[in-house]
Amino acid sequence: MVKLEDAVIARLEFSGDKFELLVDPYIAMDLKHGKQINFDDLVAATQVFNDARKGDEKNSASVKKVFGSMSFNEIVKKIVLDGDVQLTTVQRREMVEKRRNEIINFISRNAVNPQLNAPHPRKRIELALEEAKFSVDLNKNFNQQVEMAIKELKKILPLSMDKLKIAVRISAAFSGRASSILHKYNVIKEEWQNDGSLVGVVEIPAGVKQDLFNELNHLTHGDFESKLLEDK
């Protein structure tokens, strides 16, 4: 349970009526963004308030009228998801910067320049988002924000989010450890041959192809075969 002095207000207004909670700001935003959270860690008090700062608790009749027979955790979830989490300026700035970096990292790993069939440098994506005046909206989930960022980037950069299917064959000496590398990605096919070698097919974002090859090269000292498969 978060300490009272570290909590912020989450407020939902319904027909002019206020319902407030005292919550951990970071866990509340995790919940807004679709992450699994521990509700015991989220709240600083197990009451719904009319005015949380004054400790003015909401009467049970008002809570039941709006939320029905919901459990306390369900009420908390609805208030946080549908209401407003009142972050401090410092907290908001910190969360916006973290989310922006997450978006840039995701795009740099999953997108490519289709003209060169190579990833855009991370800095280029960062500068293009600045040029597009892209703003992080903490009330939207990560996938929604990525879609919005890509839409803006495509106005400035040639950008593709296509995935690649790559077949690999790895000798018996490295096949066991190579399997764990392949399973970091989406393994479509995995076949162990009679001689102990491994044949696999993975589907990966185009931008991480070099990451996969670097890991396999490091393990096998370059002793593996690969082939880019064309979709039929």
Side-chain angles (χ1 to χ4, degrees):
M1 184 172 284
V2 62
K3 295 179 181 177
L4 283 171
E5 58 266 30
D6 295 329
V8 298
I9 293 173
R11 176 187 295 150
L12 176 66
E13 295 194 22
F14 185 83
S15 298
D17 211 1
K18 291 189 305 182
F19 298 84
E20 295 186 351
L21 300 166
L22 289 170
V23 299
D24 182 295
Y26 301 98
I27 299 176
M29 295 310 295
D30 281 346
L31 177 59
K32 266 189 176 294
H33 296 151
K35 297 181 180 179
Q36 295 293 320
I37 61 103
N38 185 327
F39 283 90
D40 290 337
D41 295 334
L42 171 62
V43 295
T46 56
Q47 292 88 26
V48 178
F49 298 95
N50 182 60
D51 188 324
R53 289 304 181 199
K54 293 180 179 178
D56 179 13
E57 190 174 345
K58 205 78 177 174
N59 67 67
S60 57
S62 297
V63 174
K64 188 170 184 179
K65 180 180 177 182
V66 172
F67 298 99
S69 59
M70 288 184 180
S71 69
F72 179 69
N73 283 358
E74 289 174 324
I75 292 171
V76 170
K77 185 175 181 180
K78 185 167 181 62
I79 291 175
V80 171
L81 292 182
D82 295 346
D84 177 49
V85 179
Q86 300 183 350
L87 303 173
T88 67
T89 300
V90 172
Q91 289 166 348
R92 184 171 296 278
R93 186 185 302 121
E94 178 184 316
M95 291 181 192
V96 165
E97 186 61 27
K98 180 182 177 183
R99 176 49 54 94
R100 177 180 288 273
N101 283 327
E102 289 172 345
I103 291 169
I104 292 170
N105 287 338
F106 179 87
I107 295 173
S108 67
R109 285 181 56 83
N110 287 274
V112 293
N113 179 345
Q115 297 173 351
L116 303 175
N117 197 28
H120 286 288
R122 187 188 186 283
K123 190 65 176 179
R124 183 70 187 96
I125 293 172
E126 183 178 350
L127 293 174
L129 286 176
E130 289 179 8
E131 183 180 340
K133 295 180 169 52
F134 172 76
S135 297
V136 171
D137 185 346
L138 292 176
N139 289 316
K140 295 186 182 298
N141 66 38
F142 181 73
N143 290 335
Q144 289 174 317
Q145 289 280 274
V146 167
E147 288 177 9
M148 291 170 63
I150 290 170
K151 182 178 179 180
E152 294 303 315
L153 285 172
K154 284 184 174 180
K155 299 175 183 178
I156 299 171
L157 301 173
L159 196 72
S160 170
M161 296 291 287
D162 290 343
K163 293 183 181 290
L164 304 176
K165 289 182 181 177
I166 298 177
V168 296
R169 183 184 183 96
I170 298 148
S171 66
F174 307 105
S175 58
R177 284 172 289 171
S179 177
S180 64
I181 292 175
L182 297 183
H183 278 276
K184 294 179 182 179
Y185 307 92
N186 179 25
V187 177
I188 297 174
K189 180 180 178 182
E190 186 177 51
E191 292 183 356
W192 296 89
Q193 307 302 302
N194 291 334
D195 62 358
S197 63
L198 173 64
V199 174
V201 176
V202 292
E203 184 178 61
I204 59 173
V208 303
K209 179 179 73 173
Q210 196 56 49
D211 291 345
L212 171 63
F213 284 178
N214 286 345
E215 285 194 86
L216 292 176
N217 270 317
H218 181 73
L219 171 65
T220 67
H221 310 291
D223 184 20
F224 74 96
E225 301 172 33
S226 66
K227 180 181 180 181
L228 179 63
L229 303 179
E230 300 289 341
D231 285 328
K232 297 182 180 179

